[in-house]
Amino acid sequence: MKMLAIDTSTHVLGIALADEQKILGEYTTNIKKNHSVRLMPAVESLMKESGLAPDDLDAIAVTTGPGSYTGVRIGVTTAKSMAWALNIPLYPVSTLQVFAQNGLGFPGLVSPLIDARRNQVYTAAFSGSSGENAVARQIKDQIILLPDWLETLEQMEKQILFVGEDTASRQELIQERLGSRAAFADWTAQTIRPAEIIRVARIAGKAMDAHAVVPEYAQLAEAEKNWQKAQSGRSE
């Protein structure tokens, strides 16, 4: 099965191609540039370099969030459009679960962190030593104040590995609360590796019709909140 993976859920842009036995190609940039302009040219270039045409694809996997609202929408919309046009299945994958793959093999919990503003983070918890080639979910994806999340982790009495670029600015608070139980991934493991999207999709993913896949924001966008508030005011 030849599968394309797409991730634009943060300012990192990542794509990968793989067949049943190997990674055919992988592309990642960690720069703050417009995903909507760069994604499709990157996909086209990687597929050309790998010697594949769109009709050679058997499936597509995409990170569905949580993360940047705009980024998630770009990745999901592109993946859905391609899967629909090619009539192939689409595998939605949690951005946080793919982040946590960087801690595969860690003898404790893995907690990915993505900034959600106002001292909030998108996060979850996974077992790093599940015995499989994918981390095992322990706590669902959510948005939460960082101090509240650390309180939850304190109660679990396990070593915790924090992954994600947004851990560095929070390291002091994390260590203050968790002490020696807190560990931090090396800088080379602080971004998603696109090929891990394919691995997670194959091990724990569910093939879906393109129309059924939706972004997982973990909360309403600010514009949606304001609209709902306005509508509520009109009905009173």
Side-chain angles (χ1 to χ4, degrees):
M1 174 187 284
K2 294 181 178 64
M3 185 180 291
L4 169 70
I6 294 173
D7 172 52
T8 58
S9 50
T10 66
H11 61 264
V12 175
L13 168 65
I15 55 176
L17 280 167
D19 60 18
E20 296 86 349
Q21 298 178 326
K22 62 183 179 294
I23 300 170
L24 300 174
E26 198 169 20
Y27 175 86
T28 304
T29 60
N30 190 358
I31 51 180
K32 294 182 178 180
K33 290 190 175 181
N34 194 329
H35 292 328
S36 64
V37 174
R38 301 173 59 241
L39 176 57
M40 281 310 300
V43 170
E44 291 170 3
S45 176
L46 183 60
M47 292 192 66
K48 182 178 180 180
E49 289 293 320
S50 302
L52 295 180
D55 288 341
D56 294 322
L57 294 175
D58 299 299
I60 297 173
V62 62
T63 50
T64 55
S68 160
Y69 292 118
T70 302
V72 169
R73 282 197 299 271
I74 291 169
V76 171
T77 299
T78 301
K80 288 179 65 164
S81 299
M82 290 184 66
W84 176 81
L86 297 169
N87 194 29
I88 56 177
L90 183 58
Y91 287 78
V93 177
S94 162
T95 301
L96 292 169
Q97 185 165 4
V98 182
F99 256 124
Q101 283 291 109
N102 291 343
L104 186 64
F106 181 76
L109 294 178
V110 182
S111 175
L113 298 179
I114 300 175
D115 181 51
R117 300 181 181 178
R118 301 186 181 93
N119 202 31
Q120 299 177 110
V121 292
Y122 298 115
T123 190
F126 301 83
S127 171
S129 55
S130 64
E132 302 288 342
N133 287 322
V135 294
R137 182 179 296 280
Q138 302 297 310
I139 301 178
K140 68 179 182 179
D141 293 359
Q142 58 191 281
I143 181 172
I144 188 172
L145 289 167
L146 181 59
D148 293 343
W149 178 240
L150 296 177
E151 183 177 347
T152 297
L153 295 178
E154 280 181 301
Q155 298 169 4
M156 302 189 74
E157 299 182 351
K158 293 183 178 181
Q159 291 291 115
I160 300 141
L161 176 67
F162 292 89
V163 299
E165 292 185 323
D166 296 304
T167 60
S169 62
R170 297 173 167 87
Q171 185 167 339
E172 184 176 348
L173 175 59
I174 292 170
Q175 288 181 317
E176 181 182 314
R177 293 289 297 270
L178 297 177
S180 60
R181 290 172 52 205
F184 300 88
D186 184 76
W187 66 273
T188 59
Q190 295 289 21
T191 56
I192 284 177
R193 185 177 180 190
E196 291 294 336
I197 303 170
I198 296 175
R199 174 148 62 171
V200 171
R202 288 178 174 171
I203 294 174
K206 178 182 178 182
M208 297 178 65
D209 179 81
H211 295 295
V213 176
V214 296
E216 300 294 341
Y217 296 125
Q219 66 171 355
L220 292 176
E222 196 68 29
E224 292 175 290
K225 291 179 181 177
N226 293 337
W227 182 85
Q228 288 192 0
K229 183 177 180 180
Q231 296 305 306
S232 175
R234 289 179 184 178
S235 63
E236 293 177 355

